[in-house]
Amino acid sequence: MVKILELRSLLRTYYQKFQMVVDPLIKFVAAFVTFTMINKVIGNNLKLEKTVVVLLVSLLCAFTPSSILVFLAMAFVILHVAAVSPFMALFAALIFVVLYCFFLRFAPQYGYVVVAIPILSTLHVPYLVPILMGLVANPITILPSACGVIVYYMLQILQEHTVVSDSFALDDILPFYTKVFEALIDCKDILIVSGVFAVVIIVVYTVRKLKMEYAAELAILAGAVVNVFGFLICDLRFDTRVTIGSMIGGTLLSALAAFVALFFKRVLDYTAVENVQFEDDDYYYYVKAVPKIEIGVAKRTVEHINAKKEAVEEEDEDDYEEVLDEETGEVIFRPRSGGGTGGQVRRQKGGKSSGYFYRRMQEEKQRIREEEQQRARAQMLAAKRYESGEEQYSADEDFGEEQEREFGLSGRDENK
């Protein structure tokens, strides 16, 4: 489970980082699939079937609102129908204009719902749309879902009843309008599917809003159950053309896809629920807080132990600056920001930066300094003994701590 949560966190991180690229890419793919499906279902206008035209129109939809995609998809359908029957295209345009205005008036931001239902219907999983809309949106999505159902069955009716006709006589065109209109009236599946989808959206939305644990998960299950029983009842009562086996399998796949979408949307930890109570001047509040599970991506660092010493000895010369040593007259290299190995000054030797020779020089200076201090102590001790009348000691004679304490000579006195 932890690995899955880490994968989820990684994907969400990459999506947030490259959202400006991912969103247009998703819209481009959706538009490309939509126009390709229209060309495959109708396919009467050879110019619109060209790959260049489909790519250019899809690219336009990638950087425009979803309502533009709906408009262009309807335009594709009308142009395909007009290639074989101009008057039938006029009738289709009239219906599409009414649907488009109705859609733009109430739910223009849900344009992908209108397009998704016809596409998913060809894959036998259109039931995913009402479940997702009830899970992430509100009941207003009933309108675009109904428009999507009408568009899907409208495409099938146009494909069945459109015939080649260039005649402008009323006696020739009137039968076409009559047949299409009667087919739309007799198509009970439009009302049945739209009604069941509306009920599923309302049920999922209502269960999701309940104040209980696992409300979203139960909403998906409730939507799947209502969808199955809704189509079963309608099939028994109205004898629809819906295939029961395909409907049940598509509902199960739709519920599974909805669970995946919910997993990437949020994951709640119901084992750490907190109930908080507080009040103000007007109300007393009872708050139930459910924390979200967020796991960061594990970062792995590889440390090369054998190469660490070499990295210390061979540091970049750019981190040092050249300074003239006034005592020795040599050029030394000092860290620019106090960094380096212990912040020490480093000297140049053989074209490589190394602190070894500088340390040897410092040790030699320290040894000479100690010898000079030893000789000074010996001279002071000899002078003390001479003043006290004792025999004179040589200045080079060694003495210990006992003689220093005897004559009051110590490092502290000497420094003073």
Side-chain angles (χ1 to χ4, degrees), residues 145 191 322 348 363 367 372 403:
S145 65
L191 296 177
E322 296 183 2
Q348 184 99 359
E363 292 174 359
R367 186 184 64 80
E372 292 177 353
Q403 286 81 2

Short mmCIF file of all heavy atoms in Angstrom, two decimals, residues 145 191 322 348 363 367 372 403:
data_model
loop_
_atom_site.label_atom_id
_atom_site.label_comp_id
_atom_site.label_asym_id
_atom_site.label_seq_id
_atom_site.Cartn_x
_atom_site.Cartn_y
_atom_site.Cartn_z
N SER A 145 -25.16 15.60 -19.71
CA SER A 145 -25.20 14.16 -19.94
C SER A 145 -26.38 13.79 -20.85
O SER A 145 -26.24 12.92 -21.73
CB SER A 145 -25.30 13.42 -18.61
OG SER A 145 -26.52 13.71 -17.96
N LEU A 191 -34.75 8.62 -23.92
CA LEU A 191 -35.37 8.98 -22.64
C LEU A 191 -34.95 8.03 -21.53
O LEU A 191 -34.71 8.46 -20.39
CB LEU A 191 -36.88 8.97 -22.80
CG LEU A 191 -37.47 10.01 -23.76
CD1 LEU A 191 -38.98 9.84 -23.86
CD2 LEU A 191 -37.12 11.42 -23.30
N GLU A 322 43.80 33.61 -4.29
CA GLU A 322 45.23 33.72 -4.05
C GLU A 322 45.52 34.89 -3.11
O GLU A 322 45.02 36.00 -3.32
CB GLU A 322 45.96 33.92 -5.37
CG GLU A 322 45.82 32.74 -6.32
CD GLU A 322 46.62 32.96 -7.59
OE1 GLU A 322 47.28 34.02 -7.66
OE2 GLU A 322 46.59 32.08 -8.48
N GLN A 348 49.87 25.83 -3.16
CA GLN A 348 49.99 25.20 -4.47
C GLN A 348 51.30 24.42 -4.52
O GLN A 348 52.35 24.93 -4.17
CB GLN A 348 49.99 26.28 -5.56
CG GLN A 348 50.02 25.72 -6.96
CD GLN A 348 48.64 25.70 -7.56
OE1 GLN A 348 47.71 26.09 -6.90
NE2 GLN A 348 48.54 25.24 -8.78
N GLU A 363 53.90 23.07 11.58
CA GLU A 363 54.53 22.22 12.61
C GLU A 363 55.97 22.63 12.85
O GLU A 363 56.44 22.65 14.00
CB GLU A 363 54.45 20.77 12.17
CG GLU A 363 53.02 20.21 12.15
CD GLU A 363 52.96 18.82 11.58
OE1 GLU A 363 54.06 18.31 11.19
OE2 GLU A 363 51.86 18.23 11.51
N ARG A 367 57.59 24.04 16.35
CA ARG A 367 58.76 23.44 17.00
C ARG A 367 59.83 24.49 17.30
O ARG A 367 60.40 24.52 18.40
CB ARG A 367 59.33 22.33 16.11
CG ARG A 367 60.46 21.53 16.75
CD ARG A 367 61.02 20.53 15.77
NE ARG A 367 61.63 21.19 14.63
CZ ARG A 367 62.87 21.73 14.65
NH1 ARG A 367 63.61 21.68 15.77
NH2 ARG A 367 63.36 22.31 13.58
N GLU A 372 62.61 28.18 21.23
CA GLU A 372 62.97 29.53 21.68
C GLU A 372 62.40 29.81 23.07
O GLU A 372 63.07 30.42 23.92
CB GLU A 372 62.45 30.56 20.67
CG GLU A 372 63.17 30.51 19.33
CD GLU A 372 62.59 31.50 18.34
OE1 GLU A 372 61.55 32.11 18.68
OE2 GLU A 372 63.16 31.67 17.24
N GLN A 403 61.63 23.42 39.16
CA GLN A 403 62.45 24.62 39.22
C GLN A 403 61.64 25.86 38.84
O GLN A 403 61.84 26.94 39.38
CB GLN A 403 63.66 24.49 38.28
CG GLN A 403 64.74 23.54 38.80
CD GLN A 403 64.40 22.08 38.52
OE1 GLN A 403 63.38 21.82 37.90
NE2 GLN A 403 65.24 21.16 39.00
#
